[in-house]
Amino acid sequence: MNAFRLTFVLAASVALAACSMPNPYSSQPAPVRSTGPSTPSQPQQPLPPPVVQPPVIEMPAAPPAPIPEVRNASLERLVDGLAAKLKNSAALNEVAGPVLLDNIRNQAGSPVDTSGLTARLRASLSGQLRFADGAKVSSLRQQLAYQGGRADMAALVRLGKQSGADYLLSTELTRSGSNLKLQGQLMELASGELLWSDSVSGR
């Protein structure tokens, strides 16, 4: 009886010890040791399509407005008005020698008969001024053009001295819109002094 009892106690002790040991086949997952902070991976967003700029089309510039036609009657009035101003000026009293009359310079932007207008100006002033020999002046002008000289002020002064003139009368026609302006000046060649300068305007 004692042997049986001892055997039972031993068996009960072994059973209790087995129940207190961890079960290697438990369904609980083994703990995972973390190595550092981690962020959940985000799904990569697709790139937006490239923006295509429409082609730039350059429009042609508007054609310039046509230049108003210059009427001969208007130009003749300007020439006569400028001649009258020179006749009434005190500068004529200082002119004591021949005058080189330069052709009217056309800066109006449209064709103008400058030769005819210059001849009109000369005829209007011929009673008050003595002009340099026209044939000699024309020959010197041809030489200047052949040599490639420019009709600037220095060339005109040289032309005046070569023609025997003591004074230079130069004129210029310009335009501002529909308004025309004829400006003239009288210069002494020896000193370069400007004796007279004036202008007339009209349409």
Side-chain angles (χ1 to χ4, degrees):
M1 185 70 179
N2 288 336
F4 177 77
R5 187 182 237 180
L6 181 60
T7 302
F8 179 78
V9 170
L10 287 174
S13 299
V14 170
L16 287 174
C19 290
S20 63
M21 292 180 65
N23 184 4
Y25 304 105
S26 172
S27 61
Q28 183 177 1
V32 178
R33 194 177 290 178
S34 174
T35 58
S38 63
T39 56
S41 62
Q42 301 263 348
Q44 192 170 8
Q45 298 292 334
L47 295 175
V51 178
V52 179
Q53 297 290 342
V56 178
I57 301 176
E58 296 185 1
M59 300 299 293
I67 299 176
E69 182 181 357
V70 178
R71 294 175 296 178
N72 288 335
S74 300
L75 296 174
E76 290 174 355
R77 283 196 299 269
L78 291 180
V79 170
D80 295 342
L82 188 66
K85 285 194 172 186
L86 180 53
K87 290 177 184 178
N88 295 327
S89 70
L92 286 183
N93 299 328
E94 302 180 34
V95 178
V99 177
L100 171 65
L101 176 60
D102 185 32
N103 288 332
I104 296 176
R105 296 188 183 188
N106 178 20
Q107 303 293 334
S110 56
V112 174
D113 180 19
T114 55
S115 298
L117 294 174
T118 304
R120 184 181 182 92
L121 181 62
R122 177 173 179 150
S124 180
L125 295 171
S126 60
Q128 283 75 26
L129 297 176
R130 181 166 55 94
F131 294 100
D133 181 29
K136 188 174 183 179
V137 171
S138 178
S139 175
L140 290 172
R141 283 188 183 278
Q142 291 177 5
Q143 295 178 24
L144 181 65
Y146 179 77
Q147 296 169 3
R150 297 180 303 169
D152 53 14
M153 188 56 65
L156 290 174
V157 169
R158 187 169 68 252
L159 178 62
K161 291 180 178 180
Q162 291 176 354
S163 65
D166 296 324
Y167 304 89
L168 170 65
L169 177 58
S170 59
T171 52
E172 184 180 68
L173 178 68
T174 57
R175 180 205 295 272
S176 178
S178 60
N179 192 54
L180 296 169
K181 179 181 179 181
L182 182 63
Q183 182 167 1
Q185 62 179 24
L186 180 65
M187 182 180 68
E188 185 180 19
L189 294 177
S191 63
E193 180 184 359
L194 189 63
L195 303 177
W196 170 84
S197 178
D198 210 332
S199 64
V200 289
S201 302
R203 295 176 179 270

